[in-house]
Amino acid sequence: IRSATKLTAAIIKATAEKAGSKLRLIARAGVGVDNVDLKAASAAGVMVVNSPLSATNSVVELALGHLLAQARQITRADRTLRDGKWLKNELVGHELAGKNLGFIGFGRIGQALGRVALALGMNIHVYDPFLPDSVLANFNATRHATVQDVFRACTHITIHAFLSPQTRHMVNTEMIGLMPGVAPDGTKCGNHIVNCGRGGIIDEEAAAAALKSGKLNSLALDVFEVEPCGKSPLFESDRFQASPHIGASTIEAQNRVGAEIAGAV
Ligand code: NAD
């Protein structure tokens, strides 16, 4: 399966208990297994495997693309040019260099993006309660004990955690309200969030309101609470940019995913 198929307890139970069932393994070609009821699979004696390594580099490059497109308003520039508008004066951006980038989740993808962000001259801030301190030393990173603290410190936030009861709607009105809008060097660059992790970690209604009020200057989403996302109030903002869950959709990642999942099977 990939990400769209939902293997609920009822489906797993019915399949495993069917007379002559040969169900032994559920293989998820991708990372997140939030679409499989793991408890039900264990209870039925069915193993679940995934392919956590294949997509890392592709997701990193997409998240970087979103960060750069936000800083320079590339999607807005393209849209307005097509409308015949030459908005050279309005399309003043900011550099990523010197800005604080806050990571919610600093595992495989977070760390790989962290290396790129360091090369761009960004300062790395991390909220990840399960990470050993030794990992952070390589990034000269500032570790924050609470989600609030990382939002307080950063004009840029990127999300690379899984969806769980702890992370659902972790990014909400309160958190966005804490963001400083001003970089450590005094640049009034505003506040910017990217989510290439999992839909649902951002409260989309709260984010749409923050874009409208100007508290949030841009939002980039690759993942949504409901997919396909259909018509969302987010599209009313010209500071919103999006991609339809294509983080792992590269030729290279898809080739690797096939090999990795075959190995896991
Ligand atoms: P990973 O397991 O290596 O990293 C996840 C990190 O999140 C871990 O370090 C973990 O400690 C941390 N974490 C767990 N609970 C947390 C919490 N409550 N608050 C903050 N951090 C927490 O996984 P990964 O390979 O880096 O993948 C990260 C995310 O990217 C996953 O959600 C995955 O589904 C998503 N992903 C998206 C795409 C896409 O197409 N957009 C593709 C692949 C993966």
Side-chain angles (χ1 to χ4, degrees):
I1 59 166
R2 296 185 57 187
S3 61
T5 309
K6 311 285 179 229
L7 293 187
T8 60
I11 291 175
I12 293 170
K13 204 164 173 275
T15 312
E17 286 175 3
K18 220 165 49 193
S21 168
K22 289 183 179 151
L23 181 62
R24 297 283 177 271
L25 183 84
I26 294 166
R28 158 81 168 99
V31 189
V33 285
D34 43 272
N35 52 333
V36 180
D37 190 313
L38 298 176
K39 264 198 191 140
S42 295
V46 175
M47 239 179 118
V48 180
V49 295
N50 65 348
S51 54
L53 308 175
S54 306
T56 302
N57 200 50
S58 294
V59 181
V60 166
E61 291 185 8
L62 182 69
L64 176 68
H66 273 305
L67 277 167
L68 288 166
Q70 286 178 311
R72 305 305 298 271
Q73 301 188 57
I74 295 174
T75 57
R76 183 173 172 228
D78 177 77
R79 271 195 311 272
T80 47
L81 260 185
R82 285 165 198 265
D83 285 347
K85 296 179 196 148
W86 186 264
L87 298 185
K88 194 173 164 76
N89 294 335
E90 268 187 52
L91 290 165
V92 176
H94 61 270
E95 293 180 357
L96 292 177
K99 307 300 179 292
N100 288 356
L101 177 59
F103 288 79
I104 309 292
F106 202 59
R108 280 175 297 263
I109 295 172
Q111 290 170 41
L113 179 62
R115 282 189 279 278
V116 180
L118 264 187
L120 288 171
M122 302 191 84
N123 311 309
I124 310 298
H125 289 251
V126 171
Y127 173 72
D128 186 325
F130 304 106
L131 205 69
D133 277 331
S134 56
V135 172
L136 295 169
N138 303 326
F139 294 89
N140 194 19
T142 306
R143 179 169 212 164
H144 296 277
T146 66
V147 201
Q148 280 85 351
D149 285 347
V150 77
F151 275 87
R152 233 174 248 127
C154 297
T155 49
H156 294 64
I157 294 277
T158 185
I159 295 167
H160 302 288
F162 283 86
L163 181 64
S164 69
Q166 287 76 40
T167 60
R168 180 177 289 282
H169 286 190
M170 186 180 251
V171 183
N172 50 35
T173 307
E174 183 203 341
M175 296 306 147
I176 298 169
L178 297 172
M179 296 177 79
V182 183
D185 62 4
T187 309
K188 291 181 179 148
C189 60
N191 299 316
H192 309 270
I193 299 178
V194 176
N195 187 7
C196 289
R198 266 292 174 273
I201 298 180
I202 293 184
D203 178 343
E204 290 176 10
E205 230 179 274
L211 282 169
K212 206 168 181 180
S213 74
K215 180 64 200 175
L216 192 60
N217 295 80
S218 75
L219 174 69
L221 295 186
D222 183 52
V223 287
F224 292 82
E225 295 195 67
V226 178
E227 298 180 0
C229 65
K231 239 184 157 9
S232 157
L234 288 167
F235 289 105
E236 286 166 22
S237 168
D238 62 357
R239 303 304 178 93
F240 174 64
Q241 61 190 50
S243 45
H245 203 151
I246 54 171
S249 300
T250 62
I251 299 164
E252 292 85 350
Q254 290 308 305
N255 282 342
R256 283 191 299 262
V257 113
E260 193 183 356
I261 208 67
V265 169

